[in-house]
Amino acid sequence: MIEYLSIDSLGVIGDATVDLDPGFTVVTGETGAGKTMVVTALNLLLGARADAGAVRHGASHATVEAGFRLAAGNAAVGLAEEAGAVLDEVDDEGHDGDAPGRGPGNRSLVVTRSVGAAGGSSRSRASAGGRGVPVALLGEIGGHLVAVHGQTDQLRLKSATAQRHALDAFAGEELATALAAYRRDFDTWRAARAELAEITLHEQDRAREAENLQRALEEIDEADVTPGEDEEVRARIQRLENVEELRAASLGAHAHLAGADVAEAVDVPAAEALVEAARQALLQAPGQDTELTGLAARLAEVGIVLADVSADLAGYAARLDDDAASDLDAAQSRLAELTRLMRLYGPELADVLDWARSHRARLDELQGDSGRIVELTEQCERLEAAVLAGAAELTRLRTAAAQDLSGQVTKELHALSMPDATFHASVTGGGEPGPHGADDVALLLQPHAGSAPRPLGKGASGGELSRVMLALEVVLAATDPVPTFVFDEVDAGVGGEAAVQIGRRLARLAQHVQVIVVTHLPQVAAFADRHLKVTKDSDSDAGFTTSDVQTLEGEDRVEELARMLAGRAGSGSARDHARELLEASHA
């Protein structure tokens, strides 16, 4: 609901702030006083196009602001928070949610809109919760908060989507359950159809992909690579490329340790023999000197190590056989093969193996296309039957609800001084199934017998259309409400008992939602819980007119109703009639 509305320099209103309560609020005033500026201000807050001509003469810009109280589940909360708006938490009585002893409840949102004057430097700006937002976002937020029904603009239930949603909400739980089941079948059917189309449309491409994958995986499998094998092959290549130098080095070292071969002419002292000679010299020393004995033992250990190294060198040289050239060719060929695989699927051998693992599952999927096509075809046929049956059930339920809605709204129209009008909620089934069924829903008005039903807004005047929307909102109030309804001149062209019926129905609607009505009929104003009057003060010498908004109570309200009845507030009979209207409406 709207908690307050503040208007600054809009039209004839210089500066006015009004507090609004739940229930039925009426706005009255003399012609030209500026009653419509209240609706204009609300429309600006709902994202309507800004008119620089509406800025008060002499002002650089006009500003309107409203405080909204939102239920926690209202979609406007999410829209505002996504835009960065700050929303305060309040309980059901309007107290701050963090006040002592009070828990969080509803949310409070402040929305502002400013409009620059023609020729000025100020531009139209909008904010929600203290954060600047696009004007279009105000329209999205406002669509969940306020429904405006004016003489020239019936904002609510304008689109086919909104009309279908209203009918579905009116139909109740049975249709909601059927619609939820239908959507589950429809979503599954749509996904299965998309997958089947993808497979069949690209069948040749998928076959080529499978063939290429098969060759690649076979190539990797035949190569039988292991992680790090490329480094091992590089090391082997390096050794084989230097085989002669390695053999000479190992044999030379062996000769120094073990002595030259007897066939060799070179006289090379053997390290092993020298160490052994040194050990023997120590052992031949006189006495049992413990230090020399220890050194002799250490030389024995050195001799053992030298013997082991000598044997290893001999073995290393022996392994450098005469087949080194062929081994080098094989190693280089293996490295070339590994390098090619890494270039295609790498960059490392481990990556090649990971690629093979991940694409093996894709190959299994592609090779199973034939079976998957059969499976999906059967699934689509089964789901299509379920979707068509669900759509037919939705059509049946909507048609029944449409008949009930049509009867109730038509009855309301007859009581609202439209005795020849007939309301039609039309449901046309059998279309292409979609997320919401296969129905086209349209709300139509037949103004009088013999005329063809036409879409809302195309067969009625502004006042008649406002009454149609009032009748419709009264019927839908308990099932598909927005928090606040605004009616501008809903009573145009009626009077007498019809006006009383309009007031009664507005009061009935206000039992479910907040209702704000701009009216010139006292019969309607008498039913309001709160009465606002727009007053005009003209200063011919200063050359401007100023309007203000006042809250009327007690005798002030009686006086305003008397003015509306008789054209002047001082009439005694008019004042008596005004009191009678108030007593009757309260009763």
Side-chain angles (χ1 to χ4, degrees), residues 208-230:
R208 282 193 294 269
E209 182 184 355
E211 183 178 355
N212 292 334
L213 276 179
Q214 180 71 37
R215 284 199 300 266
L217 291 171
E218 288 177 353
E219 182 179 44
I220 294 173
D221 291 341
E222 290 173 1
D224 193 22
V225 300
T226 57
E229 183 184 356
D230 56 324

mmCIF file of all heavy atoms in Angstrom, residues 208-230:
data_model
loop_
_atom_site.group_PDB
_atom_site.id
_atom_site.type_symbol
_atom_site.label_atom_id
_atom_site.label_comp_id
_atom_site.label_asym_id
_atom_site.label_seq_id
_atom_site.Cartn_x
_atom_site.Cartn_y
_atom_site.Cartn_z
ATOM 1 N N ARG A 208 30.396 -37.670 -38.381
ATOM 2 C CA ARG A 208 31.781 -37.300 -38.693
ATOM 3 C C ARG A 208 32.583 -37.079 -37.414
ATOM 4 O O ARG A 208 33.751 -37.481 -37.320
ATOM 5 C CB ARG A 208 31.808 -36.049 -39.569
ATOM 6 C CG ARG A 208 31.489 -36.319 -41.043
ATOM 7 C CD ARG A 208 31.840 -35.114 -41.895
ATOM 8 N NE ARG A 208 31.005 -33.978 -41.573
ATOM 9 C CZ ARG A 208 29.839 -33.707 -42.178
ATOM 10 N NH1 ARG A 208 29.386 -34.524 -43.123
ATOM 11 N NH2 ARG A 208 29.130 -32.651 -41.841
ATOM 12 N N GLU A 209 31.953 -36.450 -36.443
ATOM 13 C CA GLU A 209 32.644 -36.221 -35.171
ATOM 14 C C GLU A 209 32.997 -37.556 -34.514
ATOM 15 O O GLU A 209 34.099 -37.729 -33.987
ATOM 16 C CB GLU A 209 31.759 -35.397 -34.239
ATOM 17 C CG GLU A 209 32.430 -35.075 -32.907
ATOM 18 C CD GLU A 209 31.510 -34.337 -31.950
ATOM 19 O OE1 GLU A 209 30.378 -33.995 -32.347
ATOM 20 O OE2 GLU A 209 31.926 -34.120 -30.793
ATOM 21 N N ALA A 210 32.061 -38.510 -34.556
ATOM 22 C CA ALA A 210 32.321 -39.821 -33.959
ATOM 23 C C ALA A 210 33.466 -40.537 -34.672
ATOM 24 O O ALA A 210 34.336 -41.158 -34.024
ATOM 25 C CB ALA A 210 31.057 -40.675 -34.002
ATOM 26 N N GLU A 211 33.493 -40.437 -36.004
ATOM 27 C CA GLU A 211 34.552 -41.088 -36.765
ATOM 28 C C GLU A 211 35.917 -40.481 -36.429
ATOM 29 O O GLU A 211 36.904 -41.199 -36.234
ATOM 30 C CB GLU A 211 34.258 -40.963 -38.262
ATOM 31 C CG GLU A 211 35.273 -41.689 -39.151
ATOM 32 C CD GLU A 211 34.914 -41.580 -40.619
ATOM 33 O OE1 GLU A 211 33.833 -41.034 -40.935
ATOM 34 O OE2 GLU A 211 35.723 -42.019 -41.454
ATOM 35 N N ASN A 212 35.969 -39.166 -36.342
ATOM 36 C CA ASN A 212 37.229 -38.498 -36.012
ATOM 37 C C ASN A 212 37.695 -38.848 -34.593
ATOM 38 O O ASN A 212 38.888 -39.072 -34.350
ATOM 39 C CB ASN A 212 37.085 -36.986 -36.160
ATOM 40 C CG ASN A 212 36.891 -36.564 -37.602
ATOM 41 O OD1 ASN A 212 37.325 -37.260 -38.522
ATOM 42 N ND2 ASN A 212 36.230 -35.426 -37.813
ATOM 43 N N LEU A 213 36.744 -38.887 -33.683
ATOM 44 C CA LEU A 213 37.089 -39.245 -32.315
ATOM 45 C C LEU A 213 37.595 -40.680 -32.232
ATOM 46 O O LEU A 213 38.546 -40.979 -31.505
ATOM 47 C CB LEU A 213 35.871 -39.074 -31.396
ATOM 48 C CG LEU A 213 35.602 -37.671 -30.835
ATOM 49 C CD1 LEU A 213 34.350 -37.681 -29.977
ATOM 50 C CD2 LEU A 213 36.786 -37.179 -30.030
ATOM 51 N N GLN A 214 36.937 -41.568 -32.999
ATOM 52 C CA GLN A 214 37.346 -42.969 -32.987
ATOM 53 C C GLN A 214 38.805 -43.104 -33.441
ATOM 54 O O GLN A 214 39.606 -43.813 -32.816
ATOM 55 C CB GLN A 214 36.413 -43.784 -33.899
ATOM 56 C CG GLN A 214 36.737 -45.265 -33.976
ATOM 57 C CD GLN A 214 36.398 -45.978 -32.683
ATOM 58 O OE1 GLN A 214 35.410 -45.662 -32.043
ATOM 59 N NE2 GLN A 214 37.227 -46.930 -32.291
ATOM 60 N N ARG A 215 39.150 -42.419 -34.536
ATOM 61 C CA ARG A 215 40.529 -42.489 -35.051
ATOM 62 C C ARG A 215 41.517 -41.918 -34.036
ATOM 63 O O ARG A 215 42.594 -42.476 -33.811
ATOM 64 C CB ARG A 215 40.638 -41.741 -36.374
ATOM 65 C CG ARG A 215 40.052 -42.499 -37.558
ATOM 66 C CD ARG A 215 40.589 -41.933 -38.869
ATOM 67 N NE ARG A 215 40.246 -40.526 -39.030
ATOM 68 C CZ ARG A 215 39.156 -40.096 -39.687
ATOM 69 N NH1 ARG A 215 38.325 -40.971 -40.227
ATOM 70 N NH2 ARG A 215 38.919 -38.807 -39.794
ATOM 71 N N ALA A 216 41.160 -40.805 -33.444
ATOM 72 C CA ALA A 216 42.075 -40.168 -32.495
ATOM 73 C C ALA A 216 42.311 -41.056 -31.275
ATOM 74 O O ALA A 216 43.448 -41.224 -30.821
ATOM 75 C CB ALA A 216 41.505 -38.821 -32.060
ATOM 76 N N LEU A 217 41.247 -41.653 -30.753
ATOM 77 C CA LEU A 217 41.393 -42.489 -29.567
ATOM 78 C C LEU A 217 42.167 -43.766 -29.888
ATOM 79 O O LEU A 217 42.966 -44.247 -29.067
ATOM 80 C CB LEU A 217 40.008 -42.824 -28.991
ATOM 81 C CG LEU A 217 39.264 -41.625 -28.361
ATOM 82 C CD1 LEU A 217 37.831 -41.993 -28.021
ATOM 83 C CD2 LEU A 217 39.992 -41.133 -27.114
ATOM 84 N N GLU A 218 41.922 -44.327 -31.075
ATOM 85 C CA GLU A 218 42.690 -45.508 -31.481
ATOM 86 C C GLU A 218 44.168 -45.159 -31.600
ATOM 87 O O GLU A 218 45.053 -45.949 -31.213
ATOM 88 C CB GLU A 218 42.165 -46.048 -32.808
ATOM 89 C CG GLU A 218 40.806 -46.734 -32.697
ATOM 90 C CD GLU A 218 40.278 -47.184 -34.046
ATOM 91 O OE1 GLU A 218 40.918 -46.843 -35.074
ATOM 92 O OE2 GLU A 218 39.225 -47.854 -34.084
ATOM 93 N N GLU A 219 44.469 -43.987 -32.127
ATOM 94 C CA GLU A 219 45.848 -43.553 -32.277
ATOM 95 C C GLU A 219 46.526 -43.426 -30.911
ATOM 96 O O GLU A 219 47.670 -43.872 -30.721
ATOM 97 C CB GLU A 219 45.868 -42.207 -33.002
ATOM 98 C CG GLU A 219 47.247 -41.648 -33.274
ATOM 99 C CD GLU A 219 47.182 -40.336 -34.023
ATOM 100 O OE1 GLU A 219 46.343 -39.479 -33.645
ATOM 101 O OE2 GLU A 219 47.959 -40.144 -34.962
ATOM 102 N N ILE A 220 45.818 -42.860 -29.946
ATOM 103 C CA ILE A 220 46.386 -42.707 -28.612
ATOM 104 C C ILE A 220 46.547 -44.069 -27.941
ATOM 105 O O ILE A 220 47.564 -44.347 -27.292
ATOM 106 C CB ILE A 220 45.501 -41.777 -27.760
ATOM 107 C CG1 ILE A 220 45.520 -40.353 -28.348
ATOM 108 C CG2 ILE A 220 45.967 -41.749 -26.317
ATOM 109 C CD1 ILE A 220 44.544 -39.395 -27.695
ATOM 110 N N ASP A 221 45.526 -44.926 -28.117
ATOM 111 C CA ASP A 221 45.613 -46.254 -27.505
ATOM 112 C C ASP A 221 46.780 -47.061 -28.085
ATOM 113 O O ASP A 221 47.512 -47.748 -27.349
ATOM 114 C CB ASP A 221 44.299 -47.009 -27.712
ATOM 115 C CG ASP A 221 43.155 -46.394 -26.914
ATOM 116 O OD1 ASP A 221 43.430 -45.644 -25.951
ATOM 117 O OD2 ASP A 221 41.977 -46.636 -27.258
ATOM 118 N N GLU A 222 46.958 -46.991 -29.406
ATOM 119 C CA GLU A 222 48.045 -47.743 -30.047
ATOM 120 C C GLU A 222 49.411 -47.208 -29.618
ATOM 121 O O GLU A 222 50.379 -47.963 -29.509
ATOM 122 C CB GLU A 222 47.912 -47.673 -31.565
ATOM 123 C CG GLU A 222 46.722 -48.464 -32.110
ATOM 124 C CD GLU A 222 46.517 -48.243 -33.598
ATOM 125 O OE1 GLU A 222 47.312 -47.484 -34.191
ATOM 126 O OE2 GLU A 222 45.565 -48.811 -34.162
ATOM 127 N N ALA A 223 49.504 -45.947 -29.370
ATOM 128 C CA ALA A 223 50.781 -45.368 -28.941
ATOM 129 C C ALA A 223 51.174 -45.844 -27.545
ATOM 130 O O ALA A 223 52.369 -45.905 -27.217
ATOM 131 C CB ALA A 223 50.700 -43.842 -28.969
ATOM 132 N N ASP A 224 50.183 -46.202 -26.728
ATOM 133 C CA ASP A 224 50.434 -46.755 -25.396
ATOM 134 C C ASP A 224 51.422 -45.883 -24.612
ATOM 135 O O ASP A 224 52.455 -46.349 -24.125
ATOM 136 C CB ASP A 224 50.981 -48.187 -25.518
ATOM 137 C CG ASP A 224 50.968 -48.914 -24.178
ATOM 138 O OD1 ASP A 224 50.190 -48.506 -23.293
ATOM 139 O OD2 ASP A 224 51.761 -49.856 -24.014
ATOM 140 N N VAL A 225 51.070 -44.588 -24.512
ATOM 141 C CA VAL A 225 51.957 -43.640 -23.853
ATOM 142 C C VAL A 225 51.777 -43.708 -22.344
ATOM 143 O O VAL A 225 50.731 -44.139 -21.835
ATOM 144 C CB VAL A 225 51.704 -42.207 -24.356
ATOM 145 C CG1 VAL A 225 51.938 -42.113 -25.834
ATOM 146 C CG2 VAL A 225 50.291 -41.754 -24.003
ATOM 147 N N THR A 226 52.798 -43.266 -21.636
ATOM 148 C CA THR A 226 52.737 -43.142 -20.181
ATOM 149 C C THR A 226 53.203 -41.745 -19.801
ATOM 150 O O THR A 226 54.046 -41.156 -20.481
ATOM 151 C CB THR A 226 53.649 -44.186 -19.500
ATOM 152 O OG1 THR A 226 54.991 -44.018 -19.977
ATOM 153 C CG2 THR A 226 53.167 -45.592 -19.780
ATOM 154 N N PRO A 227 52.686 -41.177 -18.724
ATOM 155 C CA PRO A 227 53.102 -39.829 -18.312
ATOM 156 C C PRO A 227 54.607 -39.763 -18.072
ATOM 157 O O PRO A 227 55.186 -40.652 -17.442
ATOM 158 C CB PRO A 227 52.314 -39.604 -17.012
ATOM 159 C CG PRO A 227 51.131 -40.516 -17.107
ATOM 160 C CD PRO A 227 51.609 -41.719 -17.854
ATOM 161 N N GLY A 228 55.269 -38.754 -18.581
ATOM 162 C CA GLY A 228 56.700 -38.562 -18.394
ATOM 163 C C GLY A 228 57.576 -39.371 -19.325
ATOM 164 O O GLY A 228 58.815 -39.282 -19.269
ATOM 165 N N GLU A 229 56.972 -40.150 -20.223
ATOM 166 C CA GLU A 229 57.767 -40.984 -21.128
ATOM 167 C C GLU A 229 58.636 -40.141 -22.045
ATOM 168 O O GLU A 229 59.760 -40.541 -22.408
ATOM 169 C CB GLU A 229 56.848 -41.892 -21.955
ATOM 170 C CG GLU A 229 57.596 -42.850 -22.872
ATOM 171 C CD GLU A 229 56.669 -43.669 -23.760
ATOM 172 O OE1 GLU A 229 55.429 -43.538 -23.602
ATOM 173 O OE2 GLU A 229 57.182 -44.419 -24.618
ATOM 174 N N ASP A 230 58.166 -38.975 -22.452
ATOM 175 C CA ASP A 230 58.937 -38.139 -23.367
ATOM 176 C C ASP A 230 60.270 -37.709 -22.737
ATOM 177 O O ASP A 230 61.310 -37.647 -23.419
ATOM 178 C CB ASP A 230 58.125 -36.918 -23.794
ATOM 179 C CG ASP A 230 57.645 -36.099 -22.603
ATOM 180 O OD1 ASP A 230 57.312 -36.702 -21.555
ATOM 181 O OD2 ASP A 230 57.587 -34.866 -22.722
#
